[in-house]
Amino acid sequence: LVMKGLNRVVEGSNLHGLLVDVTRPKVAMKTEAYQGGGMMGEVTLEQGIEAMEMEITAKGYSAELLRQFGGTIAGKTVRYQGALQQDDEEGYSELVGEARGRFVETDRGSDKQAEGGESKFKFVPTYWKETLNGEELIEIDLLGQKFAVAGDDRLKGFRAALGL
């Protein structure tokens, strides 16, 4: 599938036509190497999820994104939507990403006469959900202790054991 178009909505403001690039969050397991007494080799223990980051690049000066800077740890909502197409098919697939977090960095580049420039914004999500044509592929809620892959909530037993 090839990305044919994308759109981003930040706190209800539609940024269609302003986006140049969106970097969805890298999802990585936090792991630790372990080799106990009598084990002939090392194993990898899962210790949760690494911190996630997103980057949004807008064409020119983006006051709308700058107004969203800072705030609480999960105070801003960002929605990413892309139209994907396989070149040997007529229809499109819908890729949707939903995030909650805060903007923690901005790089508005340099100002040059007769050039539009670009503005970059780093967003640190505490929540990320990605769906393709309505099918949930992954959902991570760091504050709510949820980690689901293809609808399988892998922390359901963990929350129950903690009484959450």
Side-chain angles (χ1 to χ4, degrees):
L1 293 172
V2 176
M3 181 67 64
K4 297 289 183 143
L6 59 96
N7 192 21
R8 172 76 69 176
V9 176
V10 176
E11 285 297 298
S13 295
N14 192 322
L15 303 179
H16 180 71
L18 300 175
L19 293 180
V20 176
D21 183 55
V22 174
T23 303
R24 285 176 279 138
K26 175 182 173 182
V27 177
M29 303 300 297
K30 184 179 270 190
T31 60
E32 178 182 316
Y34 174 77
Q35 184 172 356
M39 291 179 70
M40 67 182 274
E42 190 174 272
V43 295
T44 302
L45 302 179
E46 178 186 312
Q47 298 293 333
I49 302 287
E50 296 280 353
M52 296 181 286
E53 287 185 359
M54 298 176 74
E55 187 171 88
I56 299 170
T57 304
K59 189 69 176 165
Y61 184 83
S62 180
E64 197 60 49
L65 284 173
L66 191 55
R67 287 185 189 104
Q68 305 304 323
F69 193 76
T72 61
I73 195 168
K76 302 296 179 192
T77 301
V78 172
R79 180 179 167 90
Y80 165 87
Q81 192 157 333
L84 304 170
Q85 187 180 41
Q86 192 164 316
D87 277 347
D88 61 350
E89 293 182 6
E90 292 288 323
Y92 291 88
S93 294
E94 178 186 65
L95 177 66
V96 176
E98 299 173 44
R100 286 190 302 271
R102 68 175 146 201
F103 287 92
V104 298
E105 184 178 302
T106 177
D107 177 358
R108 291 175 311 283
S110 61
D111 295 322
K112 294 180 185 176
Q113 185 172 321
E115 289 187 21
E118 292 182 349
S119 300
K120 294 180 185 244
F121 296 86
K122 186 190 293 185
F123 185 78
V124 178
T126 57
Y127 175 87
W128 174 253
K129 181 167 81 170
E130 191 168 322
T131 60
L132 181 62
N133 296 325
E135 176 193 352
E136 269 187 35
L137 300 176
I138 194 160
E139 183 178 18
I140 298 168
D141 186 349
L142 298 175
L143 301 178
Q145 301 296 319
K146 184 171 184 180
F147 175 51
V149 178
D152 176 25
D153 184 353
R154 298 179 181 178
L155 291 180
K156 184 176 181 181
F158 177 74
R159 288 192 308 274
L162 293 176
L164 300 176

